[in-house]
Amino acid sequence: GESVGLHLPTLSVQEGDNSIINCAYSNSASDYFIWYKQESGKGPQFIIDIRSNMDKRQGQRVTVLLNKTVKHLSLQIAATQPGDSAVYFCAENIHGYGQNFVFGPGTRLSVLP
Amino acid sequence: GAVVSQHPSRVICKSGTSVKIECRSLDFQATTMFWYRQFPKQSLMLMATSNEGSKATYEQGVEKDKFLINHASLTLSTLTVTSAHPEDSSFYICSAPRTGYNEQFFGPGTRLTVL
């Protein structure tokens, strides 16, 4: 089923520190996952993705970890910068291309100076 | 990268009027587009799947007669909010998958305010 966010968890980190944002996904059949970043008043922006046959994927300053056993995703942001302040959503999908994504409730990341 | 646009970006209307929101894929063709609604401090909720050449598929609880979807061409889907009421005020976002890409490409969203 779809996740409904009634309130937005917030993570506050000091500039330069590492951030870890967690997400519990709902469907054990999901085989593709994306982390999106959404800035205020804008549409979601792709950050990084991972398939279910992987447990870790790295990008530039970001790493996604997937634990299928407990249906858990995490996004790690290294050396967090003020521009990283946004709401982060994990999204899950079955069968990849063409199917809609189901979004998690989101986490607001605030980077403190 | 693929670009999806939405128009208008913001709209304010009176209660009872209808509002049309456009979603365009600018550099690729999209036989399917998705419409999401996002209330403040909440996640994106899928409203409907827009299919070029056929009827849209609506999620449970979304009134098809209130949210009219027309996928007029391979690059354009429109969402019309009919007889809008203040509770329809929300951020409406479309997305489109693209051949060869697993991710979906999102539009910038349309902020609807119904007075």
Side-chain angles (χ1 to χ4, degrees):
Chain A
E2 293 200 355
S3 298
V4 178
L6 299 180
H7 60 275
L8 213 51
T10 299
L11 173 67
S12 297
V13 299
Q14 211 69 38
E15 182 178 355
D17 287 353
N18 297 333
S19 304
I20 300 177
I21 300 171
N22 296 302
C23 176
Y25 64 92
S26 57
N27 193 338
S28 56
S30 293
D31 58 8
Y32 179 60
F33 306 88
I34 295 180
W35 278 100
Y36 283 99
K37 173 185 180 183
Q38 187 180 30
E39 296 175 320
S40 181
K42 297 183 179 179
Q45 187 182 358
F46 174 89
I47 300 175
I48 192 168
D49 61 354
I50 189 168
R51 288 204 165 280
S52 60
N53 60 353
M54 303 172 70
D55 52 23
K56 180 179 180 179
R57 189 152 191 246
Q58 288 186 289
Q60 188 177 12
R61 275 204 311 123
V62 294
T63 300
V64 56
L65 299 178
L66 173 63
N67 185 331
K68 295 181 289 295
T69 303
V70 295
K71 294 190 288 185
H72 183 267
L73 270 173
S74 68
L75 176 69
Q76 301 177 4
I77 304 174
T80 312
Q81 301 168 2
D84 296 327
S85 293
V87 178
Y88 290 81
F89 294 97
C90 66
E92 61 183 294
N93 172 279
I94 302 173
H95 306 313
Y97 168 74
Q99 303 299 316
N100 70 283
F101 281 81
V102 175
F103 281 77
T107 297
R108 178 176 299 284
L109 176 65
S110 293
V111 181
L112 307 174
Chain B
V3 178
V4 175
S5 70
Q6 284 184 240
H7 177 79
S9 57
R10 292 176 178 269
V11 57
I12 300 173
C13 69
K14 293 182 179 180
S15 188
T17 60
S18 294
V19 174
K20 180 187 285 188
I21 302 169
E22 294 184 349
C23 177
R24 291 182 187 273
S25 56
L26 297 185
D27 55 353
F28 66 101
Q29 294 182 332
T31 55
T32 300
M33 290 182 175
F34 299 102
W35 285 97
Y36 294 84
R37 178 168 52 184
Q38 185 179 32
F39 292 109
K41 297 186 178 181
Q42 293 190 24
S43 188
L44 284 73
M45 295 295 295
L46 181 68
M47 298 176 65
T49 302
S50 173
N51 304 297
E52 192 271 336
S54 64
K55 292 182 179 180
T57 305
Y58 291 81
E59 294 300 299
Q60 192 172 8
V62 178
E63 301 174 55
K64 62 179 71 173
D65 294 331
K66 180 167 183 62
F67 298 99
L68 300 179
I69 290 174
N70 181 23
H71 202 129
S73 73
L74 288 171
T75 58
L76 173 64
S77 174
T78 60
L79 169 68
T80 301
V81 183
T82 63
S83 186
H85 289 100
E87 57 266 29
D88 298 323
S89 298
S90 188
F91 195 50
Y92 292 85
I93 307 172
C94 68
S95 74
R98 181 180 183 181
T99 304
Y101 294 80
N102 290 315
E103 68 181 282
Q104 286 191 18
F105 296 91
F106 283 83
T110 297
R111 172 76 59 194
L112 170 64
T113 303
V114 185
L115 302 177

